[in-house]
Amino acid sequence: MASTADIKNGVVLSIDGQLWNVIEFQHVKPGKGGAFVRTKLKNVISGKVVDRTYNAGAKIDIENVDRREFTYLYADGDGFVFMDTSDYDQITVPGPTVGDAKNFLLENQQVTIALNNGNPLYIDLPASVTLEVTYTEPGLQGDRSSAGTKPATVETGYEMQVPLFVETGTKIKVDTRTGDYLGREK
């Protein structure tokens, strides 16, 4: 068992059987009364963010989370197969764990997977990826009813909004956190 003195940003705590990632923490020593630790925690699975306060010296469960580099290989039914870049072992990550990251996964792409006791918790993608537009309608000059954007489908099957000048076959940069168009790849 660890105590509140061991809390740091990025540490994963086990609370009521669920895993929570520490986003921020603050040790507070008021002039009157005992010290306490104020934390902001994010649920590893659902992404829900909560505030929680602990008395100084309280016992907490810190979980061991291993973040390792993996290479995405292919989709296998409901799961996604990744290869560990250090020992070449392959793991299959279930679709719900991959979540929206599937919209931006390309074969041989490097990702970071957080593992707890060998179980994948979540996938960290690079901040942006380069994808090729596989289909979009031709943009008509003067058609400004949609504020200068049109729908486009990229090579992963994800549909997004792009500016009118983007054509089929164009390589574009996409923000993996929001799914927004960032610009054309040079």
Side-chain angles (χ1 to χ4, degrees):
M1 292 290 274
S3 73
T4 54
D6 298 317
I7 292 179
K8 293 178 180 30
N9 288 346
V11 167
V12 177
L13 306 177
S14 176
I15 303 169
D16 300 329
Q18 294 187 333
L19 297 177
W20 297 83
N21 196 0
V22 176
I23 299 171
E24 348 178 315
F25 73 99
Q26 180 181 19
H27 289 278
V28 179
K29 175 71 173 98
K32 183 177 178 184
F36 58 91
V37 178
R38 191 178 291 137
T39 62
K40 185 176 279 192
L41 305 171
K42 180 178 180 182
N43 189 304
V44 169
I45 305 299
S46 68
K48 179 180 173 184
V49 177
V50 298
D51 292 323
R52 189 142 184 191
T53 303
Y54 295 97
N55 290 329
K59 299 294 181 200
I60 54 173
D61 281 336
I62 293 182
E63 285 291 325
N64 181 22
V65 174
D66 185 21
R67 291 174 178 85
R68 295 196 308 220
E69 292 294 316
F70 283 82
T71 301
Y72 173 63
L73 297 178
Y74 58 90
D76 182 25
D78 222 16
F80 296 82
V81 179
F82 294 86
M83 180 182 65
D84 191 335
T85 56
S86 61
D87 60 10
Y88 306 109
D89 282 346
Q90 293 183 6
I91 64 167
T92 301
V93 180
T97 303
V98 174
D100 289 338
K102 71 178 181 285
N103 296 326
F104 311 109
L105 279 176
L106 292 173
E107 289 182 6
N108 299 320
Q109 183 177 1
Q110 298 296 316
V111 299
T112 303
I113 299 180
L115 301 165
N116 174 254
N117 299 329
N119 297 324
L121 300 175
Y122 59 88
I123 294 176
D124 277 337
L125 291 172
S128 67
V129 293
T130 301
L131 300 172
E132 184 176 333
V133 176
T134 56
Y135 177 76
T136 187
E137 295 286 333
L140 299 174
Q141 194 63 30
D143 176 20
R144 294 287 185 256
S145 62
S146 60
T149 63
K150 60 182 179 180
T153 305
V154 293
E155 59 189 304
T156 61
Y158 180 63
E159 192 167 300
M160 58 184 293
Q161 292 293 317
V162 297
L164 292 173
F165 57 80
V166 173
E167 299 172 352
T168 300
T170 306
K171 291 198 177 280
I172 59 173
K173 285 185 90 167
V174 180
D175 188 329
T176 58
R177 296 165 298 214
T178 61
D180 293 339
Y181 169 83
L182 293 176
R184 285 186 285 196
E185 187 63 29
K186 288 154 182 68

